[in-house]
Amino acid sequence: MFYELKETLRKNRLTENVYTKLRTFRHKDRFLVFSESHVEPQIDQSMKYRLNLIVPVFTNSTVFGGVSTALQMFNLLADSLKCERRIVVTGIETFSKQTYRVEGFKHNCDSKGIFFLSENRKILVRKHDIFLFTSWVTAYYFYPVFYWQRQMYQTVKNKVIYLIQDFEPGFYPWSAEYVLSEATYHHGEDTIAVFNSKELYQYIKKRKYSFDKELFFKPYLNPKLKEYLLNRTIHTKRDKIIIFYGRPVDSRNAFGLIYSALMEWSKSYKDAKEWKIYSLGDKFNDIKLENNVIRFLGKLSLEDYANIMFSAYVGICLMVSPHPSYPPLEMSTFGVKTIVNRFEEKDLSSFNSNIISLLDYTPHSIANTLVNVCNQYVADSAPIIWNRDYIENSDLNNVINKLEELLRYDNCEEFIV
């Protein structure tokens, strides 16, 4: 019916203009401008060293996962270098009540300041500003700033730090964004690349990308979740609960595969009615299955997230990318039997014994695996599994020490603090 109406509007001489306007409005987000002069650097005579964290977003609801990792790395490195620090936000947001608060940081201060490009594209750049990129779009906007700095101050030995947290071209199949994001990996000689997993590093190297220096660290448990985990003194029984990382708007989390698998499982599994299903990550209307309901809990507080991981028996976390992602590591560490997918070099089966790593992750395969896991349910099973490297977070500190060494060597000057 909708298709027939669309064709009628499109082909009718009287309604053709209305159809065009509606279509333009519907696809307005595709009329994008990719400006290489989006940032306008200005001379800053200060000779003090400053570390700049460049992030695409910085609101209370977005500082988790990759942005949270970048923020922790930024603070550790600035502490190690004993230099000034600044956060620059490249997205459309402005300073508001929703801005994530960092202790001691003020709006638009030269040191310990949060600067929003949406408010002012002109930004003061010093000779000794060090840039930490955290996503392809931050690299796209600030590589030109870095080259301006090099030309203006003759800082020929300076490098940028590029925290690569996934193969981002894969987010945009055959598109302008694919081309531009992939191009940010072509500044190798000017870049210290830091990868947030060995699997991602191996994937990038397999594709022949090369950087001046290359470092990687293993994923680590969020400090607050670590606190909840280590302070847990009372053993609670596992409930018949399935949790999964459900983000329908994020293609690489393959919501359609999980949804299809749960539909099949709910219809065919004889004890399906005994189980509850919760989707974590995004908030949507609940979905009725044959014998169950998928309840979308959205983004939980870390305390609520920890509690549901202590209670759930089985989890499903798909990530169609070389990055391991955080939820399966967290769930399995908290004792949840966690179904994950393999992807080229990535295979999490050795992380701990609660991980169930699938090479074939069609809906039917996931549903069958889910049946097998549910059939093994025992309330007192699924103990907490310790992975020392993951919990102790020593790997990131080693990377910070190496970065400090590289930055001091490349600049060949005493840091002025």
Side-chain angles (χ1 to χ4, degrees):
M1 183 67 181
F2 176 77
Y3 175 77
E4 292 175 352
L5 176 61
K6 184 181 75 170
E7 286 299 292
T8 299
L9 291 172
R10 184 174 69 87
K11 293 180 179 179
N12 188 294
R13 184 171 57 85
L14 298 177
T15 58
E16 180 183 8
N17 190 46
V18 174
Y19 169 79
T20 302
K21 288 183 180 296
L22 289 173
R23 191 164 191 266
T24 302
F25 177 79
R26 180 188 175 193
H27 297 288
K28 65 181 184 301
D29 60 332
R30 304 310 302 165
F31 291 81
L32 301 174
V33 175
F34 300 100
S35 172
E36 293 182 88
S37 57
H38 183 67
V39 189
E40 300 177 21
Q42 309 290 308
I43 292 175
D44 185 339
Q45 299 291 355
S46 173
M47 293 298 290
K48 292 184 177 181
Y49 280 77
R50 179 172 56 188
L51 182 63
N52 296 265
L53 176 68
I54 318 298
V55 290
V57 291
F58 207 67
T59 61
N60 292 320
S61 62
T62 57
V63 178
F64 67 97
V67 177
S68 179
T69 299
L71 183 60
Q72 184 176 6
M73 180 177 163
F74 167 70
N75 284 326
L76 287 172
L77 183 57
D79 287 345
S80 183
L81 293 170
K82 296 181 174 59
C83 66
E84 294 187 348
R85 60 194 81 185
R86 177 174 63 178
I87 298 170
V88 182
V89 186
T90 63
I92 62 173
E93 68 192 81
T94 58
F95 187 78
S96 69
K97 292 181 180 179
Q98 299 304 316
T99 299
Y100 184 82
R101 295 298 190 262
V102 180
E103 186 177 355
F105 277 66
K106 296 181 180 179
H107 186 206
N108 285 345
C109 289
D110 287 339
S111 181
K112 285 197 170 183
I114 304 179
F115 187 94
F116 293 82
L117 288 182
S118 61
E119 298 175 348
N120 188 358
R121 288 165 50 182
K122 294 180 180 179
I123 185 169
L124 292 174
V125 176
R126 303 175 181 177
K127 177 179 180 179
H128 298 304
D129 267 322
I130 303 166
F131 300 107
L132 170 55
F133 304 156
T134 60
S135 68
W136 81 265
V137 72
T138 65
Y140 176 75
Y141 285 146
F142 270 82
Y143 267 121
V145 176
F146 168 73
Y147 292 125
W148 177 93
Q149 177 198 42
R150 174 175 286 182
Q151 182 178 18
M152 187 61 60
Y153 298 114
Q154 297 300 300
T155 52
V156 295
K157 291 187 177 181
N158 283 13
K159 310 291 180 186
V160 302
I161 306 167
Y162 193 168
L163 175 58
I164 300 176
Q165 305 197 70
D166 210 327
F167 184 69
E168 291 188 89
F171 300 0
Y172 315 100
W174 309 123
S175 62
E177 291 93 335
Y178 181 99
V179 172
L180 296 179
S181 57
E182 193 273 338
T184 65
Y185 300 151
H186 293 191
H187 301 267
E189 64 183 13
D190 302 315
T191 305
I192 302 172
V194 181
F195 303 91
N196 69 344
S197 71
K198 183 178 180 180
E199 292 86 353
L200 177 59
Y201 168 72
Q202 292 173 330
Y203 183 89
I204 295 287
K205 293 305 294 179
K206 186 177 179 181
R207 276 143 191 81
K208 308 300 183 183
Y209 296 106
S210 181
F211 302 90
D212 183 70
K213 297 292 187 299
E214 297 164 347
L215 307 170
F216 68 84
F217 60 90
K218 298 173 185 176
Y220 56 89
L221 184 61
N222 176 284
K224 197 65 180 177
L225 289 178
K226 176 181 175 180
E227 181 183 325
Y228 291 130
L229 182 69
L230 298 181
N231 290 340
R232 189 75 167 192
T233 57
I234 301 174
H235 173 71
T236 56
K237 292 185 177 181
R238 296 281 164 182
D239 296 322
K240 289 187 174 181
I241 293 175
I242 299 167
I243 56 176
F244 71 95
Y245 193 52
R247 301 183 70 190
V249 298
D250 200 331
S251 298
R252 67 189 186 280
N253 289 122
F255 176 82
L257 294 182
I258 301 175
Y259 179 30
S260 300
L262 288 171
M263 287 180 64
E264 181 177 336
W265 171 88
S266 180
K267 185 176 182 179
S268 62
Y269 182 48
K270 58 183 178 62
D271 297 326
K273 289 182 180 180
E274 300 176 9
W275 291 77
K276 296 178 181 178
I277 305 173
Y278 298 115
S279 173
L280 316 178
D282 273 350
K283 188 68 174 176
F284 287 87
N285 290 333
D286 295 342
I287 298 176
K288 181 73 171 66
L289 303 177
E290 184 77 13
N291 291 295
N292 306 84
V293 175
I294 299 175
R295 304 207 178 278
F296 286 86
L297 302 184
K299 183 185 176 185
L300 302 177
S301 69
L302 288 176
E303 183 177 5
D304 289 340
Y305 181 40
N307 286 332
I308 199 168
M309 288 193 291
F310 279 126
S311 301
Y313 183 76
V314 57
I316 308 172
C317 293
L318 301 186
M319 183 66 154
V320 188
S321 94
H323 185 253
S325 85
Y326 299 112
L329 308 183
E330 293 161 350
M331 290 181 189
S332 63
T333 295
F334 274 69
V336 182
K337 301 289 186 183
T338 309
I339 300 169
V340 302
N341 64 289
R342 300 184 190 184
F343 185 88
E344 298 203 20
E345 290 79 8
K346 180 179 71 176
D347 179 4
L348 301 182
S349 58
S350 63
F351 179 74
N352 68 36
S353 59
N354 282 330
I355 292 283
I356 303 160
S357 181
L358 303 181
L359 180 59
D360 171 18
Y361 44 100
T362 61
H364 185 65
S365 174
I366 297 169
N368 282 345
T369 303
L370 188 57
V371 168
N372 292 336
V373 175
C374 291
N375 279 334
Q376 297 168 18
Y377 171 78
V378 179
D380 289 325
S381 67
I384 304 301
I385 302 295
W386 300 104
N387 184 313
R388 186 174 297 276
D389 288 342
Y390 178 61
I391 293 175
E392 288 186 351
N393 184 23
S394 59
D395 214 24
L396 179 58
N397 291 325
N398 292 335
V399 168
I400 295 299
N401 292 337
K402 185 63 176 177
L403 277 173
E404 179 190 2
E405 177 186 327
L406 291 171
L407 290 169
R408 290 186 183 276
Y409 173 80
D410 284 337
N411 282 283
C412 296
E413 294 182 35
E414 290 296 322
F415 272 53
I416 304 171
V417 297

